[in-house]
Amino acid sequence: MKQLGFLIHADKCIGCYSCRFSCHNENGQGNTFRRKVHQIKNDLYEPFHSFQHISMSCNHCETPACLAVCPEGAIQKKQNGIVLIDKMKCSGCRKCETSCPFGAIQIDPISGKADKCDMCYDRLMEGKTTICISSCPVQA
């Protein structure tokens, strides 16, 4: 089975948040962001207070903890490794949110349903790349 995932080049990322905002715009989310950019202090360059940035979203885990705890069966793992949430089945119980070790799942305050990166599943099925990858100005 082919396992898709993200490979982030942290040494290239400039922390511009293009990935985060393009994802937000593409998916029409209210107050939730499927992609987060973390700023990490780089002690190697202490005199300059240099920072590295890491863009993160759902890791589409090989064995997703969220899938195992969902009482509604709303979470599925596709053959290509993409982990999806069926919002019609989701009850908003938060079990998936609390089980994710990466904090990738959030409950949308408007719908009350779980939300996370779906790796632009529809775009991939059309032969396109994910919106976060296509929007990155430095190809991180």
Side-chain angles (χ1 to χ4, degrees), residues 104-128:
I105 301 176
Q106 304 167 66
I107 300 298
D108 183 316
I110 296 168
S111 70
K113 308 283 183 165
D115 188 53
K116 68 169 207 63
C117 167
D118 63 3
M119 201 180 278
C120 293
Y121 186 75
D122 293 336
R123 288 177 59 93
L124 290 178
M125 295 303 102
E126 294 171 3
K128 299 177 184 175

Side-chain angles (χ1 to χ4, degrees), residues 3 58 60-69 75-77 81-84 99-101 116:
Q3 174 69 44
C58 175
H60 301 277
C61 300
E62 188 174 355
T63 307
C66 58
L67 188 145
V69 300
I75 300 174
Q76 62 175 309
K77 183 175 175 80
I82 298 175
V83 178
L84 299 175
S99 73
C100 178
K116 68 169 207 63

Side-chain angles (χ1 to χ4, degrees), residues 29-98:
Q29 302 145 62
N31 295 324
T32 61
F33 283 85
R34 292 180 174 183
R35 181 161 288 281
K36 298 170 184 149
V37 178
H38 300 280
Q39 188 178 57
I40 300 167
K41 189 169 189 247
N42 187 341
D43 291 331
L44 186 62
Y45 301 106
E46 179 62 36
F48 305 106
H49 300 290
S50 183
F51 292 91
Q52 283 188 302
H53 299 87
I54 298 176
S55 175
M56 289 189 66
S57 67
C58 175
N59 289 317
H60 301 277
C61 300
E62 188 174 355
T63 307
C66 58
L67 188 145
V69 300
C70 180
E72 274 57 326
I75 300 174
Q76 62 175 309
K77 183 175 175 80
K78 297 293 205 179
Q79 279 197 322
N80 59 9
I82 298 175
V83 178
L84 299 175
I85 298 175
D86 182 341
K87 292 193 172 124
M88 297 300 287
K89 291 181 179 178
C90 177
S91 66
C93 71
R94 303 188 98 101
K95 288 182 180 180
C96 59
E97 181 184 39
T98 58

